[in-house]
Amino acid sequence: MLASHERKRRFHDPERTRNRLLQAAFREVHRSGFRSAGIDTILAATNVTKGALYYHFDGKEALGYAIVDEIIAKLVSEGWLRPLLSDGQPVDILIGVVRRIPDRPQDIRAGCPLLNLAQEMSPLDEQFRKRLKRIFIAWQEAVARLLRKGQSQGTVRRDLNSDEAASFLVAMVEGYVSLAKNAQDTKVWEVGKRNIVGWLKSLRAPRQSRRGGRRRSNEQSRFG
């Protein structure tokens, strides 16, 4: 009796149904790309009717926009934006976030959902492009704020352009993820992670010498 009631509640809960559709659509888009994602495949995975899908979403594009706004944006927030608010030295925080990026074979095979959609849909659909751009900008701004905090604390090099360094970090992360996906090889990402961490370490402010002066950095690049 209770099991039957639970099944009825599950299938007649609009918010739950919408979320199931959204999650199934995200998995299908991540696996196949937006243009190749099949509505029938999404419906089969959720046991939801086509009418129910169009009750919640006006069409496939609306479903795609919701994936960006509600799932991909949340992934970036949980993986980057929130951790960057943690206590600690900014460079250490960034290194920790990079080291925690998933590197299982299935993660390498699928690639970054944000990057995948940006490459596929930004040239084709302005609404996709604007939504994805907002996520990239939020990511870069969060990194830049953290670097500026480190500069004010004296733990990050003062000669660093925080905005440019932030965009460089995002580009390195996404670039190595893309290379690893293309090679279908986790070792590519392992090398990338070591290089990114090495670059982040170069952003630390020079230590005070015993005489109280600063040691000169051998790095002349704006980024390190």
Side-chain angles (χ1 to χ4, degrees):
M1 183 75 173
L2 288 175
S4 175
H5 175 74
E6 174 60 22
R7 283 196 299 272
K8 289 180 180 179
R9 187 194 69 79
R10 186 169 67 248
F11 286 106
H12 289 84
D13 184 339
E15 189 58 32
R16 187 186 181 100
T17 298
R18 184 182 184 279
N19 186 60
R20 288 167 57 222
L21 285 166
L22 200 55
Q23 293 294 334
F26 168 71
R27 291 191 295 270
E28 175 66 7
V29 169
H30 195 191
R31 178 174 54 249
S32 305
F34 178 75
R35 287 173 295 175
S36 297
I39 292 295
D40 290 340
T41 303
I42 295 167
L43 295 176
T46 56
N47 197 28
V48 170
T49 66
K50 188 171 291 188
L53 185 148
Y54 287 108
Y55 171 80
H56 292 286
F57 304 98
D58 291 338
K60 185 178 178 181
E61 286 74 20
L63 180 58
Y65 301 154
I67 289 172
V68 175
D69 295 340
E70 300 178 39
I71 296 184
I72 295 179
K74 183 178 180 181
L75 290 173
V76 174
S77 177
E78 293 178 345
W80 281 92
L81 308 192
R82 291 181 186 175
L84 297 190
L85 299 175
S86 304
D87 293 330
Q89 291 198 6
V91 171
D92 292 335
I93 293 171
L94 288 168
I95 288 173
V97 171
V98 169
R99 285 176 170 164
R100 288 193 296 272
I101 294 174
D103 56 4
R104 300 171 301 175
Q106 57 267 39
D107 299 314
I108 298 301
R109 183 169 57 252
C112 170
L114 173 61
L115 180 62
N116 290 352
L117 266 179
Q119 291 176 326
E120 179 190 7
M121 298 305 298
S122 290
L124 305 176
D125 187 295
E126 186 67 3
Q127 288 301 314
F128 266 110
R129 188 192 69 78
K130 289 180 178 179
R131 284 172 160 83
L132 295 163
K133 179 182 177 182
R134 282 198 293 268
I135 298 174
F136 276 119
I137 289 176
W139 182 2
Q140 293 174 62
E141 288 180 343
V143 173
R145 280 195 300 272
L146 183 62
L147 291 174
R148 284 193 291 270
K149 178 181 177 182
Q151 288 175 316
S152 68
Q153 295 172 339
T155 60
V156 172
R157 285 169 29 202
R158 292 191 180 276
D159 66 317
L160 191 73
N161 184 311
S162 59
D163 292 320
E164 292 180 4
S167 65
F168 188 54
L169 174 60
V170 172
M172 279 197 295
V173 169
E174 294 290 48
Y176 272 117
V177 168
S178 181
L179 288 173
K181 177 183 175 182
N182 179 259
Q184 292 291 286
D185 189 350
T186 58
K187 293 181 181 178
V188 174
W189 172 242
E190 291 169 4
V191 170
K193 188 182 295 188
R194 286 199 301 272
N195 287 334
I196 295 169
V197 168
W199 174 78
L200 285 170
K201 289 179 178 179
S202 77
L203 305 188
R204 299 187 195 278
R207 295 178 181 177
Q208 294 287 337
S209 70
R210 291 181 180 179
R211 294 180 180 179
R214 290 185 178 275
R215 294 203 307 260
R216 286 188 177 181
S217 170
N218 291 325
E219 301 292 342
Q220 299 300 321
S221 167
R222 297 177 74 182
F223 297 133

